[in-house]
Amino acid sequence: MAATSGMRSVLLIALLAVTPLACGGEAGAGGPGGPGGPGGARGRRGPEAEALAVAVTTLAPATIERHYRGAGTLRALRAADLVALQPGVVLELKAEEGDSVAAGQLLARLDGRAYQLQAARDRLSAQNAAKELDRLEQLSGLLSREELDKQRYAAESALASAQVSRHQASQTTVSAPFAGTITRRHIDVGNLATTSKSLYTIADLSALDLELYVPEREASAVQAGAPAQIELQDGSTFEARVERRAPVVDPLTGTVKFVVRAHNFPAGAVPGAFARASLRVAVREAAPSVPRSAIVEVEGKPHVYVVEDGRARRRPVELGLVGEERAEIRGGVAEGAQIVVDAGTGIAEGMPVRAVAEGAAGAKGMPEGAGAKGQAAKDMPEGAGAGGQGTKDMPAGTAEQPAAEAKAAAKGQAAAPAPGGP
């Protein structure tokens, strides 16, 4: 009976010794106050540790431009279809397609022998009528006034006919009306040229025009001389400027016709080529602005996010001129405010954020406290060791615990008596 009572006492003492370990464990390994417990490194990861890193900017003066994009067909500065003024057979052609010609240069010669013979006959008739008038005037005392007037009219009429015939005989050639380039030849030697059949097409290629039809709401802001950029199908671009605008609005399309003209252009820019154009509609110099990516619409109104006390705050703003890359801010945010550059990446009102400089590489999305040792340290909790991938997400204190236990175990093993020993 005494032995049984002693055994029960030993078991009770052992149970009381084990109970603190079962309830709280070691103080440094996972208790409420230990680093591994709720108050440890994992428990201390609050809003600051989870703050999203966002690139921020401030209001900065910049030149903002708004453009209108359209397309059309290039055409020469001026062009003309050349026809014969008098019918005749083509005897000689002096130019071919692609030739550059000067103003007044002979291009074609027609058979004009019939006109020349008629001009010679009319010249002779005019000379005879003039001689007859002189003879009658010498006999003015013997002739009536009526006879002299009749002969004077006949002489003047013959002279006029001779002049007409001479002019017709001179129109058996075709010359260039202006300096340009022959773009087409429509007839061959031996064909009959008529007043309704074109012989050549000539174009002045010293400049190229492009017609753009701008909507009425944008046309009022376009000024004469406004720059435009023209792009060809092969990707080459060149500069042009507004030459003139139509004085009326097309009631069917609601657009205004503008003509942009280019004086310097690549070899691929020729009349008839399809081209796209970007016309500058409005420009604002030194306007306080932010990137367009910083603007977000909420209920149809523009807003931006600013960083205040570590949180994103949405602010309504008043926009001015909105360009392709930047937007003018007329009001709503103070100068120097930290504005989130990319407002469309899941930013919400009151969200914890951490501001980083615009364009900072690798900073976006990195939690606060992350090390700079590479991927192994990414998302590593506060207090974790620096031993590499093996300590990733390891609570504080656990790195030293296995070594201490191993050391204690080794010490205890050395002190323990050998089996069967004294």
Side-chain angles (χ1 to χ4, degrees), residues 65-72 210-215 218 228-229 231 275-281 292 323-325:
E65 296 181 350
R66 185 169 73 244
H67 296 82
Y68 168 77
R69 286 177 170 79
L210 179 65
E211 294 181 354
L212 295 177
Y213 294 86
V214 182
E218 302 282 2
Q229 187 177 60
E231 180 181 2
R276 297 179 177 88
S278 175
L279 173 63
R280 193 180 73 182
V281 176
R292 285 191 60 177
E324 296 182 357
E325 298 179 355

Side-chain angles (χ1 to χ4, degrees), residues 182-238:
I182 302 298
T183 58
R184 289 195 66 184
R185 178 173 62 83
H186 304 277
I187 203 167
D188 289 322
V189 174
N191 295 154
L192 177 64
T194 63
T195 57
S196 61
K197 185 176 182 179
S198 176
L199 278 69
Y200 287 104
T201 298
I202 184 174
D204 185 354
L205 303 182
S206 60
L208 291 178
D209 289 347
L210 179 65
E211 294 181 354
L212 295 177
Y213 294 86
V214 182
E216 182 181 359
R217 65 180 180 274
E218 302 282 2
S220 59
V222 180
Q223 304 295 329
Q229 187 177 60
I230 301 178
E231 180 181 2
L232 301 178
Q233 290 286 69
D234 60 1
S236 58
T237 60
F238 55 97

Side-chain angles (χ1 to χ4, degrees), residues 231-254:
E231 180 181 2
L232 301 178
Q233 290 286 69
D234 60 1
S236 58
T237 60
F238 55 97
E239 300 297 325
R241 291 192 175 274
V242 173
E243 182 68 20
R244 61 181 180 273
R245 61 168 289 171
V248 296
V249 178
D250 188 338
L252 297 179
T253 62

Side-chain angles (χ1 to χ4, degrees), residues 2 75 110 145 163 177 237 252 313 340 382 406:
R75 58 186 183 88
L110 309 180
R145 183 73 177 178
Q163 293 174 346
T237 60
L252 297 179
R313 301 299 181 186
V340 178
E382 183 178 357

Side-chain angles (χ1 to χ4, degrees), residues 40-276:
R42 187 176 300 274
R44 289 197 300 270
R45 293 190 65 187
E48 291 184 359
E50 298 176 357
L52 177 66
V54 294
V56 296
T57 185
T58 57
L59 291 179
T63 299
I64 303 177
E65 296 181 350
R66 185 169 73 244
H67 296 82
Y68 168 77
R69 286 177 170 79
T73 302
L74 295 175
R75 58 186 183 88
L77 178 63
R78 50 183 173 175
D81 289 327
L82 307 182
V83 299
L85 298 179
Q86 296 291 338
V89 176
V90 178
L91 298 180
E92 186 179 10
L93 295 174
K94 296 285 190 178
E96 293 293 337
E97 293 180 358
D99 291 348
S100 297
V101 297
Q105 180 176 332
L106 179 64
L107 301 180
R109 186 170 58 86
L110 309 180
D111 184 4
R113 287 174 293 180
Y115 299 106
Q116 295 172 359
L117 293 175
Q118 184 177 353
R121 185 190 62 183
D122 292 342
R123 182 174 64 253
L124 182 58
S125 299
Q127 293 175 356
N128 292 335
K131 291 179 179 180
E132 182 65 19
L133 179 60
D134 291 340
R135 188 180 68 82
L136 294 179
E137 286 179 347
Q138 294 176 2
L139 302 173
S140 58
L142 303 175
L143 299 175
S144 63
R145 183 73 177 178
E146 182 180 357
E147 292 177 344
L148 289 175
D149 290 342
K150 185 183 295 186
Q151 185 59 37
R152 187 177 293 109
Y153 172 78
E156 293 176 354
S157 179
L159 179 60
S161 296
Q163 293 174 346
V164 170
S165 298
R166 184 171 65 251
H167 176 68
Q168 290 177 343
S170 66
Q171 291 182 332
T172 56
T173 58
V174 178
S175 301
F178 51 81
T181 302
I182 302 298
T183 58
R184 289 195 66 184
R185 178 173 62 83
H186 304 277
I187 203 167
D188 289 322
V189 174
N191 295 154
L192 177 64
T194 63
T195 57
S196 61
K197 185 176 182 179
S198 176
L199 278 69
Y200 287 104
T201 298
I202 184 174
D204 185 354
L205 303 182
S206 60
L208 291 178
D209 289 347
L210 179 65
E211 294 181 354
L212 295 177
Y213 294 86
V214 182
E216 182 181 359
R217 65 180 180 274
E218 302 282 2
S220 59
V222 180
Q223 304 295 329
Q229 187 177 60
I230 301 178
E231 180 181 2
L232 301 178
Q233 290 286 69
D234 60 1
S236 58
T237 60
F238 55 97
E239 300 297 325
R241 291 192 175 274
V242 173
E243 182 68 20
R244 61 181 180 273
R245 61 168 289 171
V248 296
V249 178
D250 188 338
L252 297 179
T253 62
T255 58
V256 179
K257 185 179 76 171
F258 285 83
V259 176
V260 297
R261 178 168 296 172
H263 293 277
N264 298 313
F265 42 85
V270 294
F274 177 79
R276 297 179 177 88

